[in-house]
Amino acid sequence: MKTNNKLILKLEDLGEVTPLTTAQRLLFQSWDEYPIQVLHGSAGTGKSFISVYKALEQVLDMKSEYKRLVLLRSVVPAREIGHLPGDVDEKSAVYELPYEDMCHLLFNRRDAYQRLKEQYKIQFGITSFLRGITFDNSIVIVDEIQNMNYMELYTVMTRIGVNSKIVFCGDFKQTDLKNSGLLKFLNVLREMESTSFHEFKVNDIVRSDLVKEFILAEEALNDRV
């Protein structure tokens, strides 16, 4: 059976993305140097989007040692997955929607995310089902880490195999770090020379002016409380 080449996405199909802010530019510069990247800061700053772009840029390169992009999310904090209809894949599908939109923008085709999954270039997983798995030759993006506890993050980190790198994205303001296992995990990463930290501030918001205005208003209100 012949494969329809129009369904196979290649590196040349990936649109070009240039950094729009200082924080994004610093990530681009350090991407190849550090196998552990930590992106933290305000919503709408493009943390996940540029990470997915940089990862696909390497995963789709035939000469690259990275063969797949692994996207990981936690669904535990939502407490709703048990009530959603369907099996585990169907329940977790709602958490894949942001990445479908990202791939749509990056390839200018609505089916890009599904095509990449069928090519085994993208794999989506949830942190509840990682034990016994090893991610070799992979770029692992762990998204919304402010929703994860220490054991989830520990499990993710200890799944990383040979020729792999890992990216952590989150908005730490949404977590009480003083009482969170996330603080312990971040302190461990700070002890590792392989880690590069990037802070995305309000001025790095690129989603829209309304989002930036809202975040600024929220911060101003919090300062007065």
Side-chain angles (χ1 to χ4, degrees):
M1 181 177 179
K2 293 184 178 181
T3 303
N4 186 343
N5 289 330
K6 292 183 179 180
L7 298 181
I8 298 177
L9 294 181
K10 301 177 182 178
L11 180 59
E12 53 264 36
D13 298 317
L14 180 66
E16 183 178 358
V17 173
T18 56
L20 299 176
T21 66
T22 298
Q24 291 185 3
R25 184 165 58 254
L26 290 173
L27 174 67
F28 274 51
Q29 292 173 355
S30 69
W31 183 265
D32 293 324
E33 184 177 355
Y34 294 90
I36 303 174
Q37 302 280 350
V38 179
L39 287 62
H40 63 97
S42 298
T45 51
K47 300 183 298 294
S48 302
F49 181 79
I50 59 175
S51 297
V52 168
Y53 168 72
K54 292 298 292 180
L56 287 174
E57 195 177 39
Q58 292 184 301
V59 166
L60 293 175
D61 185 348
M62 298 295 291
K63 300 177 182 178
S64 171
E65 63 185 347
Y66 305 111
K67 303 306 178 186
R68 62 174 169 170
L69 164 59
V70 180
L71 299 164
L72 297 179
R73 292 279 296 265
S74 172
V75 301
V76 175
R79 305 296 181 190
E80 296 157 350
I81 191 168
H83 303 290
L84 293 172
D87 57 21
V88 172
D89 290 337
E90 292 170 324
K91 290 178 179 181
S92 61
V94 65
Y95 296 95
E96 297 184 72
L97 293 177
Y99 312 109
E100 291 184 17
D101 288 340
M102 292 176 197
C103 290
H104 177 204
L105 290 172
L106 289 172
F107 292 92
N108 194 30
R109 51 186 293 175
R110 175 56 68 182
D111 65 341
Y113 181 77
Q114 186 60 36
R115 297 282 78 80
L116 290 168
K117 287 184 68 175
E118 292 174 357
Q119 291 172 225
Y120 302 103
K121 294 299 182 181
I122 282 184
Q123 174 184 344
F124 180 84
I126 55 178
T127 55
S128 304
F129 301 97
L130 294 182
R131 296 191 183 278
I133 295 176
T134 300
F135 297 120
D136 293 327
N137 300 100
S138 302
I139 299 177
V140 180
I141 296 178
V142 193
D143 212 356
E144 305 292 350
I145 67 170
Q146 74 274 359
N147 295 329
M148 299 182 188
N149 58 44
Y150 182 80
M151 286 312 301
E152 282 182 288
L153 293 164
Y154 177 92
T155 300
V156 169
M157 191 67 218
T158 55
R159 300 302 93 200
I160 304 303
V162 297
N163 299 326
S164 292
K165 66 192 308 175
I166 186 165
V167 184
F168 296 96
C169 300
D171 182 357
F172 302 165
K173 290 187 300 182
Q174 298 181 26
T175 298
D176 181 3
L177 283 178
K178 292 182 180 179
N179 300 311
S180 169
L182 177 57
L183 176 60
K184 176 182 177 181
F185 182 77
L186 294 175
N187 286 337
V188 173
L189 293 186
R190 287 190 175 96
E191 295 292 317
M192 301 175 62
E193 295 182 356
S194 299
T195 305
S196 179
F197 281 82
H198 303 272
E199 182 178 3
F200 290 71
K201 300 181 180 180
V202 175
N203 289 335
D204 294 307
I205 293 175
V206 294
R207 182 167 294 156
S208 71
D209 290 337
L210 284 178
V211 173
K212 180 181 290 188
E213 184 180 358
F214 174 79
I215 299 297
L216 286 171
E218 181 191 41
E219 291 186 351
L221 182 62
N222 291 337
D223 290 341
R224 294 200 298 267
V225 174

